[in-house]
Amino acid sequence: MKNSSRRDFLKLTGLGAASLMASTASASEGVKLGENDVGMFYDATKCVGCKACVAACKRVNDMDAVPAPNDEDRLWDAPGKLDYRTRNIIQLYKEDEETWSYVKHQCMHCVKPGCVSACPVTAMMKDERGIVYYDKDKCIGCRYCQIACPFVIPKFEWPKAFPKIVKCDLCKFTNLKEKGIPACCEVCPTEAVIFGKRSDLLAEAKRRMETEPEKYQEKIYGEHEIGGTNVIYLAPQKVNFAQLGFPELETHSYAAFSENIQHTIYKGFIAPVALYSLLTFVAIRNRKKNDGSEDEE
């Protein structure tokens, strides 16, 4: 009877472990590229650093200005990084006169966004075109979206009495709705950043790399990182993506991975049943040991 119970217990825990392994192994399968996904393609070799994209973003989305430190008259808007007043920023990486590049930062619109997965009240959402956007009326201010984003993009309005999360939404409710294109892409004078279907943008990036391989890094950032992003990048040959501030990430989606584990643990109450079985087994075994010791005495 004792051996039979142990075998049953091992079978149960084995089945639970096998189910968990099968689920986690398929974590990358939770990432599906939509045929109609749209995004942006930024070619750092074309950017001239004019910041027209930053100004246009602020104008159409009604963002507050960021005064320069020495601008006592508050005449200039001079954002230096992403914050609650700036959804989109151009920065300069410069090592020397030969090694430098501009870079544009904003939400990457991940194919499987961690912010959407982590949000407990669906304030962060992804629409049918792959645009990751935010509903301030649902937000409870937990800021899980900030923690879950591998690119550290969502910003919180700390100085405001009723703060909300701020991030790029591809002008979903403003310029994209009115003109069919995000403001930053509309005004870029050199087409360093362009808008379109992700598949078309990816094909264009590959075409440029094949046409001028000596000009670019041998990688399209965002093609595979964390399952892919809808904003993709090309960087110049002399500057790598880490220097431009992009993290080195795995190709699997962390959000899909965590969702698979959670769904497996709670699916069919596998984890609670396994835990209860373990505790029962230990209790019975200890009781039999104690009964045996009392009989010997």
Side-chain angles (χ1 to χ4, degrees):
M1 182 64 184
K2 181 178 181 180
N3 290 337
S4 177
S5 298
R6 182 175 297 170
R7 282 197 299 272
D8 291 343
F9 168 71
L10 292 175
K11 285 179 181 178
L12 180 62
T13 54
L15 286 171
S19 299
L20 183 62
M21 291 295 291
S23 177
T24 53
S26 62
S28 60
E29 296 174 4
V31 181
K32 295 181 179 179
L33 292 169
E35 294 182 0
N36 297 318
D37 277 8
V38 296
M40 296 192 295
F41 165 34
Y42 175 78
D43 185 338
T45 67
K46 287 181 171 292
C47 184
V48 295
C50 67
K51 296 188 178 181
C53 55
V54 179
C57 175
K58 288 207 168 204
R59 176 172 49 79
V60 304
N61 292 301
D62 194 24
M63 308 292 290
D64 292 339
V66 182
N70 299 321
D71 182 15
E72 296 181 356
D73 296 326
R74 303 177 70 86
L75 295 175
W76 304 97
D77 180 18
K81 61 182 181 180
L82 295 178
D83 67 11
Y84 67 95
R85 298 161 294 186
T86 308
R87 299 185 181 192
N88 152 55
I89 192 70
I90 294 290
Q91 295 175 320
L92 171 65
Y93 170 81
K94 186 174 183 180
E95 189 172 313
D96 52 44
E97 295 301 322
E98 299 294 328
T99 309
W100 63 272
S101 175
Y102 292 111
V103 61
K104 182 178 187 292
H105 286 295
Q106 74 290 299
C107 175
M108 298 291 284
H109 295 275
C110 303
V111 174
K112 183 66 177 177
C115 59
V116 174
S117 178
C119 182
V121 294
T122 65
M124 282 289 180
M125 292 171 281
K126 177 182 172 183
D127 73 8
E128 68 283 359
R129 295 173 296 176
I131 298 173
V132 180
Y133 66 104
Y134 167 75
D135 185 342
K136 64 180 177 59
D137 294 329
K138 293 182 178 179
C139 184
I140 57 175
C142 67
R143 298 186 292 115
Y144 285 177
C145 55
Q146 289 187 290
I147 299 171
C149 177
F151 303 103
V152 197
I153 296 299
K155 305 302 178 190
F156 194 64
E157 294 180 318
W158 287 105
K160 297 193 176 182
F162 300 100
K164 64 179 185 292
I165 291 292
V166 177
K167 63 175 281 301
C168 163
D169 58 8
L170 293 181
C171 297
K172 174 181 173 69
F173 303 104
T174 54
N175 222 65
L176 182 62
K177 181 179 180 181
E178 297 168 2
K179 301 180 179 180
I181 185 173
C184 58
C185 299
E186 180 187 20
V187 301
C188 182
T190 61
E191 295 188 338
V193 59
I194 57 177
F195 172 76
K197 291 181 65 175
R198 185 183 192 273
S199 55
D200 295 337
L201 298 175
L202 193 58
E204 174 61 17
K206 291 180 178 179
R207 185 194 67 76
R208 293 184 191 183
M209 289 180 66
E210 292 174 0
T211 304
E212 300 178 277
E214 73 287 352
K215 190 175 179 179
Y216 298 105
Q217 290 279 320
E218 295 180 356
K219 175 181 182 177
I220 301 172
Y221 194 91
E223 181 179 11
H224 300 299
E225 279 73 15
I226 56 169
T229 62
N230 286 332
V231 178
I232 59 173
Y233 286 80
L234 282 183
Q237 181 63 254
K238 292 184 178 181
V239 181
N240 62 47
F241 287 105
Q243 291 169 319
L244 294 179
F246 293 97
E248 294 186 12
L249 299 169
E250 302 290 340
T251 57
H252 65 264
S253 166
Y254 304 132
F257 182 78
S258 64
E259 284 183 8
N260 270 287
I261 290 177
Q262 292 175 22
H263 295 170
T264 300
I265 288 175
Y266 291 104
K267 185 177 182 180
F269 287 93
I270 291 175
V273 169
L275 177 60
Y276 181 77
S277 300
L278 174 63
L279 294 174
T280 302
F281 172 75
V282 172
I284 293 174
R285 185 187 62 180
N286 291 340
R287 182 174 180 177
K288 287 185 176 179
K289 281 184 178 179
N290 292 333
D291 291 345
S293 298
E294 291 175 357
D295 292 342
E296 289 177 2
E297 292 176 355

